[in-house]
Amino acid sequence: MKVAVLVYEGVFDSGLAAILDVLDSANAMGEEADVMGEEIVEPPSWHVTTVGPQPQVRTGAGHLVTAEPLAHADAADLLLVPALAERRPAALLDHVGGDQSLPVRNLIARTRERGAAIASACTGTFLLAEAGVLDGLRATTTWWLAPIFRGRYPAVQLDQSRMVIASGGVTTAGAAFGHVDLALAIVRASSPALADLVARYLVVDERPSQSTYTIPSALAQNDPTVADFERWVRERLSEPISIPDAAKAIGVSNRTLQRSIRRTMGTSPIRFVQDLRIQQASHLLRTTELPLEAIARRVGYEHPNTLRVLLRERTGKTTLALRGV
């Protein structure tokens, strides 16, 4: 497979390096699999070319990266777009929608038009969305920028339930180090056995979802109504929660509350309440020696088994694992 890895001013260093290192490791281990005692029939390989708008681009950390002209990507089977090293939402949107990124957006659109595959992670997915290649598709992005992404690109079906989403020839992955998951997913699409071998050698655990890392209160701050609801719920986690009562208490209609939470969090008020309860329960399991029964009551569950099941579903871990046992 011919792979073009796109570099541009301000590219996220770790994301770029992760993609290059995983693909390089896959090429090397594919050739040496028999020596390692692994049986991989006709191991795939990836011919990687780094392309950019200039012969040299400066990364987010200030390093210089040499690049081939963007035209070299026109023959690639896959275009990989690492993230932009920008945490500030306003600056991120200015960059992806501005003149500076126009050559990058044009390349992404041109690649889509000719039917080649495209992949990106973290803030790089904003470039894909800005180029219009994600319209009508499922995609993911870094969890803490999800409200901004959802508001700017309503035609994209944002899905935060998985770390990597493949939809219509475009693959997207979650936050910063989701670049590792993205690169492994690319290897896995050609050879699951080789992807597992690379993951073992690089000591990379499978992370099916970003939900374990999401901080609900951080997302809630993107909307005053959601922030008020979050504070109201946290003060009453041990009690039954009525959504209409919450709406009345914070001075909005039930419908407005439902819509604000859906727009900001991408979920329902009830699910958001569950997320807050799971977050608090996880914290108490890690930082106290309280029995599960007591923790369950503190976060509003009468039966500890209900909490145990939800913890497993949302975090992928048992209560013992959360305690560090």
Side-chain angles (χ1 to χ4, degrees):
M1 175 181 285
K2 295 179 180 178
V3 179
V5 178
L6 180 61
V7 294
Y8 52 92
E9 292 294 319
V11 69
F12 181 53
D13 294 66
S14 295
L16 172 61
I19 288 170
L20 296 175
D21 284 344
V22 169
L23 293 180
D24 183 63
S25 297
N27 280 334
M29 291 180 190
E31 295 175 358
E32 302 166 4
D34 56 339
V35 178
M36 301 175 185
E38 299 287 336
E39 234 181 277
I40 300 177
V41 180
E42 296 184 5
S45 62
W46 293 265
H47 178 71
V48 180
T49 303
T50 304
V51 301
Q54 299 91 29
Q56 278 193 328
V57 299
R58 193 170 296 277
T59 68
H63 297 105
L64 290 177
V65 177
T66 302
E68 299 294 334
L70 292 179
H72 283 229
D74 290 341
D77 303 302
L78 169 66
L79 176 66
L80 271 167
V81 184
L84 174 71
E86 179 56 74
R87 291 181 50 83
R88 299 165 298 169
L92 171 63
L93 295 182
D94 284 345
H95 181 99
V96 300
D99 292 340
Q100 182 180 4
S101 69
L102 183 59
V104 169
R105 301 197 310 270
N106 286 342
L107 173 63
I108 293 169
R110 192 165 69 245
T111 302
R112 181 65 173 169
E113 286 172 4
R114 66 181 179 82
I118 303 174
S120 185
C122 193
T123 54
T125 58
F126 280 75
L127 284 166
L128 270 57
E130 198 72 27
V133 305
L134 292 179
D135 288 355
L137 301 181
R138 288 171 58 242
T140 192
T141 191
T142 182
W143 66 264
W144 55 274
L145 287 171
I148 306 299
F149 188 99
R150 195 177 286 112
R152 188 172 178 94
Y153 310 114
V156 183
Q157 301 171 37
L158 190 62
D159 184 347
Q160 295 296 94
S161 67
R162 304 290 298 170
M163 182 66 80
V164 179
I165 299 284
S167 178
V170 182
T171 304
T172 52
F177 290 99
H179 288 84
V180 175
D181 304 86
L182 178 69
L184 283 173
I186 290 165
V187 176
R188 186 170 289 110
S190 297
S191 173
L194 182 55
D196 290 343
L197 181 61
V198 172
R200 293 207 304 274
Y201 267 78
L202 297 182
V203 195
V204 178
D205 293 327
E206 183 180 10
R207 298 175 295 176
S209 172
Q210 296 186 84
S211 61
T212 306
Y213 310 94
T214 301
I215 304 173
S217 55
L219 293 178
Q221 302 313 306
N222 287 277
D223 185 289
T225 296
V226 181
D228 288 345
F229 175 74
E230 188 249 351
R231 284 191 293 271
W232 188 90
V233 170
R234 283 194 183 277
E235 293 170 358
R236 297 164 178 80
L237 277 182
S238 64
E239 308 169 11
I241 299 294
S242 165
I243 303 304
D245 287 351
K248 184 177 180 181
I250 63 177
V252 298
S253 69
N254 185 28
R255 185 177 181 184
T256 295
L257 178 58
Q258 298 267 357
R259 293 169 84 176
S260 294
I261 293 175
R262 177 65 65 180
R263 181 178 60 248
T264 304
M265 310 299 295
T267 190
S268 67
I270 293 298
R271 174 86 180 201
F272 184 33
V273 171
Q274 287 181 341
D275 289 342
L276 294 174
R277 284 175 162 158
I278 293 303
Q279 183 189 42
Q280 181 63 11
S282 298
H283 172 73
L284 291 172
L285 282 166
R286 290 193 303 268
T287 60
T288 75
E289 295 182 359
L290 288 170
L292 186 63
E293 291 79 3
I295 292 175
R297 288 193 296 271
R298 285 197 180 193
V299 297
Y301 294 110
E302 183 178 350
H303 302 292
N305 195 53
T306 302
L307 176 59
R308 184 181 288 108
V309 171
L310 281 171
L311 282 166
R312 187 63 181 265
E313 287 178 353
R314 301 295 175 82
T315 70
K317 296 181 179 179
T318 64
T319 54
L320 287 177
L322 287 167
R323 281 201 189 275
V325 176

